Amino acid sequence: MKVAIVNGVNLNFLGIRETSIYGYETLEEINKNIVRHLEGTEINVDFYQSNIEGEIVNYIHGLHKKFDYLIINPGAYTHYSIAIRDAILAIGIKTIEVHLSNVDAREEFRKNSVISDIAVGKISGFGSYGYIMALEYIKQRGVI
């Protein structure tokens, strides 16, 4: 099974930016923990991060008929990127939305997601463990 994990804008600065909200773990450390968690499974994961909306769209297009699931943390693009939403819809991939912080307990604008209603589910507020939760769901469900 192939799973793509996409991280959007500013997530390359994890461990540096707003550590009181996002913690000190870097994106590289998160990715290494995910790889360790998947050892011995039949899940192959591909990681991608970009601060550029169009690059994320192009990457998602490239998943078409090649990947079984998309786990995405769009960062701030969550709230307004119709382009990313449309890319997910265009390729018809099963998608899980992940956020490190509890976006529903933060500023009002963060409560809006243009991704949630097209996703299998949304995981928010569990830090980097949210990615593991999404992968556990995928492991239990398999390719559906």
Side-chain angles (χ1 to χ4, degrees), residues 8 10 19 27 31 44 51 57-58 61-62 75 82 100 104 107 114 117 122 131 136:
N10 293 320
T19 54
L27 186 57
N31 291 347
N44 296 305
N51 294 317
V57 168
N58 286 339
H61 286 171
I82 302 304
L100 298 170
D104 293 316
E107 302 93 339
V114 298
D117 68 318
K122 173 181 170 181
Y131 296 98
E136 284 301 308

Side-chain angles (χ1 to χ4, degrees), residues 64-99:
H64 184 58
K65 294 188 177 183
K66 296 177 186 167
F67 282 76
D68 302 298
Y69 277 91
L70 167 63
I71 297 171
I72 187 166
N73 181 346
Y77 290 136
T78 302
H79 316 298
Y80 65 87
S81 181
I82 302 304
I84 292 173
R85 173 193 170 87
D86 286 350
I88 294 167
L89 285 171
I91 67 166
I93 193 168
K94 292 174 286 298
T95 301
I96 300 171
E97 181 181 357
V98 171
H99 297 283

Side-chain angles (χ1 to χ4, degrees), residues 22 75-76 78-80 103-104 106-114:
Y22 301 109
T78 302
H79 316 298
Y80 65 87
V103 292
D104 293 316
R106 294 184 61 197
E107 302 93 339
E108 192 63 31
F109 72 88
R110 294 190 194 275
K111 296 177 184 178
N112 178 56
S113 170
V114 298

